[in-house]
Amino acid sequence: MLRLRALVALAALAVAGGLVAIIPSTAASAAACAAPWQSSAVYTGGAQVSHNGRNYQAKWWTQNEAPPGTTGVWQDLGACGGGSTPPTGSCSYPNWVAGTWYTTGAVVRYTNGLYYIAEHDNPGYDPTISTWYWDPYTCGGTPPTSSPPPPNPGGFVVSEAQFNQMFPSRNSFYTYSGLVAALSAYPAFTKTGSATVQRQEAAAFLANVHHETGGLVHIVEQNSANYPHYCDYSQPYGCPAGQAAYYGRGPIQLSWNFNYNAAGNALGLPLLTNPWLVQNDAAVAWKTAIWYWMTQNGPGTMTAHNAMVTGAGFGETIRSINGSIECNGGNPAQVQSRVTRYQQFVGILGVPAGANLYC
């Protein structure tokens, strides 16, 4: 069984799908509008843009996320150009109420004075946060249609811009190119099922990876006192690289000599004798994570891949990775950390989270 340890405790987000936008208590009605936001532009921390009659400031690197966004990257600086842009036409729709169930097509007036239409049924999610469930609405307009974005030309359903958005503080070792290079090892990874299912699987994989590595910051297990514990001498091949050589490494923190042996055999790599490949080669590191995701049940009853493509849900991926420690009430805070990150990532990819989020 792969032994995994949570490296950081991630703060729970305020609602499913992102961080709450900061809206000033007094609108800056006299403020001039900054340059309009452009989907193709890259914005770094401190950059200011205008969108739908309001100014926003980027907190960190971002691209292709329209303000106010779903990840909390945009800080709302208030109305610009003489006040909040009123919707066209005459509206008499009810005020949005948090926690109220809204069905597809429902139109509400939000606290910023603007109107939003529900693209999908939802339990009262904040319209300025969840762009999957809500879309801006102009009175008299036609309800928009929504579908997942087309596949990324690079072959992965997550674009490099989205990857950078998910991991703004990642270690330079964890390259996007290394991840893309690793995809060939298991062609069914994020390529099974509908476009929505493919993106859900990618979000689930990356959410668990985020949890295991503190946001792709840590390459190796931080508690070196554990290193000698990962050698199981009952295996016929023993520990040829040394008793303390099989500590956690890479996106899923591969550990134990028998896991290095199995992963190496599956990938055609000498990981049993040279486990350091996982911490020195980004593509190898990603391949070991995808190997575990695609082939190992761990403490669960199915692989994490099967959990996502069969509809078993994100909760079963947690069980497959660290269920013996976290699931069934073992560590609800760690489970919530993974779920919250998954909800954020599906929001970035523009798909719903699906059912069965917990284990």
Side-chain angles (χ1 to χ4, degrees):
M1 180 186 75
L2 185 64
R3 185 168 178 176
L4 300 161
R5 297 179 179 273
L7 301 174
V8 295
L10 301 174
L13 303 181
V15 293
L19 298 172
V20 176
I22 300 173
I23 302 177
S25 58
T26 302
S29 58
C33 287
W37 172 82
Q38 297 181 4
S39 61
S40 60
V42 172
Y43 297 101
T44 56
Q48 294 189 8
V49 299
S50 62
H51 189 60
N52 290 339
R54 302 185 73 83
N55 281 331
Y56 296 87
Q57 180 169 297
K59 298 178 184 177
W60 56 77
W61 188 101
T62 184
Q63 182 182 26
N64 200 32
E65 180 177 357
T70 62
T71 65
V73 67
W74 290 110
Q75 178 178 348
D76 192 330
L77 300 180
C80 65
S84 179
T85 303
T88 302
S90 175
C91 281
S92 59
Y93 295 105
N95 292 331
W96 169 81
V97 178
T100 298
W101 182 263
Y102 293 103
T103 57
T104 303
V107 178
V108 297
R109 182 181 186 274
Y110 189 57
T111 55
N112 60 9
L114 301 180
Y115 291 87
Y116 297 83
I117 186 168
E119 292 185 302
H120 300 88
D121 295 355
N122 71 89
Y125 292 145
D126 190 315
T128 64
I129 293 175
S130 180
T131 56
W132 166 259
Y133 291 103
W134 295 98
D135 206 51
Y137 180 75
T138 300
C139 292
T142 301
T145 58
S146 175
S147 60
N152 178 40
F156 188 36
V157 294
V158 179
S159 70
E160 186 168 8
Q162 290 168 329
F163 178 76
N164 289 333
Q165 185 178 344
M166 293 172 175
F167 302 98
S169 302
R170 64 181 171 84
N171 190 306
S172 60
F173 170 78
Y174 290 113
T175 61
Y176 178 79
S177 60
L179 172 55
V180 172
L183 300 179
S184 61
Y186 291 94
F189 174 68
T190 69
K191 292 295 181 65
T192 303
S194 67
T196 294
V197 170
Q198 291 174 26
R199 285 167 174 78
Q200 287 173 334
E201 182 181 10
F205 172 77
L206 293 172
N208 280 299
V209 161
H210 193 293
H211 183 86
E212 295 299 324
T213 61
L216 285 183
V217 171
H218 300 297
I219 301 172
V220 302
E221 183 174 350
Q222 297 300 286
N223 187 358
S224 58
N226 285 332
Y227 288 8
H229 301 158
Y230 297 125
C231 177
D232 180 1
Y233 278 109
S234 70
Q235 304 298 327
Y237 41 78
C239 298
Q243 179 178 350
Y246 301 100
Y247 50 84
R249 295 179 177 88
I252 293 283
Q253 292 290 281
L254 186 74
S255 53
W256 289 96
N257 56 330
F258 47 81
N259 280 313
Y260 278 91
N261 181 64
N265 289 340
L267 298 171
L269 296 168
L271 300 186
L272 182 65
T273 56
N274 187 6
W276 297 276
L277 281 173
V278 181
Q279 68 188 72
N280 294 327
D281 187 314
V284 171
W286 283 113
K287 284 180 180 180
T288 63
I290 297 174
W291 164 80
Y292 188 85
W293 183 268
M294 298 294 294
T295 68
Q296 302 301 296
N297 292 352
T301 61
M302 65 186 75
T303 66
H305 168 73
N306 285 339
M308 294 308 298
V309 302
T310 63
F314 180 73
E316 287 302 313
T317 73
I318 303 174
R319 193 180 300 280
S320 298
I321 291 174
N322 208 24
S324 60
I325 296 176
E326 297 181 15
C327 293
N328 302 319
N331 196 328
Q334 297 300 308
V335 171
Q336 184 61 59
S337 171
R338 295 179 193 265
V339 171
T340 297
R341 192 61 61 180
Y342 171 64
Q343 291 171 322
Q344 179 188 3
F345 285 1
V346 291
I348 291 173
L349 299 181
V351 294
N356 306 319
L357 297 183
Y358 296 86
C359 64

